[in-house]
Amino acid sequence: MNSEPKKFIPVVQLSDNETEVKRALQICNACRYCETFCAVFPAMTKRLEFTQADIHYMANLCHNCGACLHACQYAPPHEFGVNIPQAMAQVRLETYQEFAVPAAFGAIYKKTGIPLVSAMSVLFFLLMLAGVWLNETDLFGRYQGDFYAIFPHNFLAVLFGLVFMLAFILLGLGVAKFWKQTSKIIPEGVAQPDILQASKNVLTLKYLDGGHGKGCNEEDDRYTQIRRVFHHFTMYGFLLCFAATSVATLYHYFLALEAPYAYTSLPVILGTLGGIGLIIGPSGLLYLNIKRHPLHGDVNQKPMDRGFIFLLLLISITGLLLLAFRDTAAMALLLIIHLATVMTFFLTIPFGKFAHGFYRSAALLKFAVEERIAKHRAKAK
């Protein structure tokens, strides 16, 4: 007789939203009409049961393209009421909250709307304005584009650099917790082809094409690539601005070339192109967010979505205005406004919409691993 004690396997209590995703996926797994759609459905067909980890994984794998909702014969007003985009969006918000570091800050995800980011920007503006006043700096002086005449370079580099690094450390810890939970069942680990495939899917926004190449559904069942286009403007606009800052840092510390830089210099060109992208992209995304079909997504996410988009617009508009009027008496005031919006963005990185790109990238990496393993096993049979 075996006297070994039985291992205790804790039962995970699913939230109402997680339960709804599980119910919807079980119906989808029986139907499989959308099997050739986005990455969610190939991942779904590899499972007969859906654990909490599976639900979290597929919720972040979902790009909310809307194609499955408009193709589904069981979507509302059918009695089954299957709405994958909405159910996934509700769970995605829960995952951001659950994996947030520190955990107590997870509730901020529901609050990072336009009022909060506006209030934070105003607060930082007033603090910086007070600093300028206490330092007796002429707010409306002409400084020939020299930002460091208002705030010393080392002060800005240390303050904003530390906040930026801390924000990404906290976000990275949250994504690591998500990866640890959702990827326990990958015994083979991650290989180079998985990283390359996931990177390709991220950089091309592959699954904003609906999985069939025709695009998303916005207001109706008509396919369009427009959301993918606006996401590209936003993502590459941000990357260009980051590249501009990186090049300027290289110029300053390694080439002994100090700002202000000429309009034809590489940092200014990169920053200008990035700023333009961050006006076109977020403006389009805000329009689509307002006009989108009411059954898409989750109304609880709209404040977070719009707060993030609004903040990107503030940063890009004030940044371009600062560049255009840097040689005028308005420079100092524009600099303070711009820095206030940038600081707000940095502080909300781990607890706002920006995080979704990193959680989705982790889910796409797991999907690439699963696809590689599935193909390998199919060849071995």
Side-chain angles (χ1 to χ4, degrees):
M1 184 176 179
N2 189 352
S3 59
E4 290 185 9
K6 294 182 179 179
K7 292 183 179 179
F8 173 71
I9 302 176
V11 177
V12 177
Q13 184 67 39
L14 299 181
S15 69
D16 291 343
N17 291 327
E18 290 167 347
T19 301
E20 174 56 24
V21 167
K22 182 177 181 178
R23 182 191 74 89
L25 287 174
Q26 287 171 335
I27 295 172
C28 292
N29 220 358
C31 173
R32 298 200 176 187
Y33 179 81
C34 300
E35 190 171 355
T36 58
F37 281 23
C38 76
V40 170
F41 297 96
M44 176 196 71
T45 58
K46 294 179 175 64
R47 293 160 170 80
L48 296 176
E49 294 291 335
F50 301 99
T51 65
Q52 186 184 57
D54 294 328
I55 293 167
H56 287 172
Y57 158 52
M58 281 183 274
N60 283 278
L61 196 58
C62 171
H63 286 55
N64 202 5
C65 71
C68 61
L69 175 65
H70 289 274
C72 183
Q73 60 185 319
Y74 302 120
H78 191 278
E79 61 180 323
F80 286 177
V82 174
N83 187 337
I84 290 292
Q86 189 174 81
M88 294 295 195
Q90 290 169 336
V91 170
R92 267 198 306 278
L93 183 56
E94 288 185 356
T95 61
Y96 303 155
Q97 294 174 290
E98 179 175 340
F99 296 111
V101 177
F105 285 17
I108 297 176
Y109 277 104
K110 281 191 174 182
K111 301 175 182 177
T112 50
I114 292 176
L116 178 62
V117 298
S118 299
M120 291 178 66
S121 297
V122 170
L123 174 62
F124 290 125
F125 168 77
L126 293 175
L127 289 173
M128 291 181 185
L129 192 63
V132 169
W133 178 73
L134 290 172
N135 201 40
E136 298 182 350
T137 303
D138 184 1
L139 187 62
F140 298 102
R142 290 178 177 269
Y143 298 96
Q144 290 76 48
D146 184 7
F147 303 150
Y148 305 132
I150 312 300
F151 297 106
H153 176 272
N154 289 341
F155 169 77
L156 292 179
V158 171
L159 176 62
F160 282 80
L162 287 176
V163 173
F164 183 78
M165 287 191 292
L166 177 61
F168 267 90
I169 288 171
L170 293 178
L171 177 57
L173 291 172
V175 175
K177 286 171 62 178
F178 167 75
W179 178 262
K180 183 178 180 181
Q181 186 216 43
T182 57
S183 302
K184 289 180 179 178
I185 60 170
I186 302 181
E188 292 88 348
V190 177
Q192 184 181 22
D194 307 326
I195 297 173
L196 294 175
Q197 184 60 51
S199 299
K200 178 183 176 182
N201 291 340
V202 170
L203 294 173
T204 61
L205 297 173
K206 161 66 180 169
Y207 293 107
L208 281 179
D209 69 355
H212 41 55
K214 298 177 182 178
C216 298
N217 296 98
E218 297 296 331
E219 300 176 63
D220 48 40
D221 59 0
R222 178 179 59 89
Y223 295 124
T224 172
Q225 296 279 4
I226 193 63
R227 191 152 70 101
R228 191 182 189 189
V229 170
F230 286 139
H231 269 87
H232 271 297
F233 271 110
T234 303
M235 180 172 71
Y236 285 102
F238 176 82
L239 291 176
L240 283 170
C241 288
F242 183 78
T245 303
S246 301
V247 172
T249 302
L250 177 68
Y251 276 17
H252 184 90
Y253 288 107
F254 295 96
L255 301 180
L257 298 174
E258 295 187 359
Y261 301 113
Y263 288 111
T264 55
S265 66
L266 186 56
V268 174
I269 291 173
L270 291 173
T272 302
L273 292 175
I276 293 170
L278 282 176
I279 290 178
I280 296 173
S283 296
L285 291 176
L286 182 59
Y287 172 78
L288 294 178
N289 187 278
I290 294 170
K291 298 286 290 182
R292 205 159 190 222
H293 193 288
L295 289 178
H296 288 230
D298 176 20
V299 293
N300 292 327
Q301 272 201 28
K302 284 189 180 293
M304 178 178 69
D305 293 347
R306 293 177 185 178
F308 176 62
I309 293 170
F310 178 69
L311 188 55
L312 288 182
L313 282 172
L314 282 180
I315 292 171
S316 52
I317 291 171
T318 58
L320 290 175
L321 286 174
L322 177 60
L323 180 64
F325 295 98
R326 68 181 185 178
D327 294 325
T328 72
M331 187 271 279
L333 193 60
L334 287 171
L335 176 64
I336 294 171
I337 295 171
H338 180 63
L339 291 178
T341 60
V342 172
M343 179 58 77
T344 300
F345 172 69
F346 283 4
L347 287 174
T348 56
I349 280 175
F351 312 111
K353 181 66 174 182
F354 186 81
H356 87 285
F358 293 84
Y359 282 90
R360 184 163 290 156
S361 297
L364 284 168
L365 180 57
K366 176 176 177 175
F367 178 69
V369 175
E370 287 190 342
E371 288 290 281
R372 173 178 57 82
I373 292 172
K375 289 176 183 178
H376 178 75
R377 289 174 179 171
K379 288 181 181 180
K381 288 183 179 179

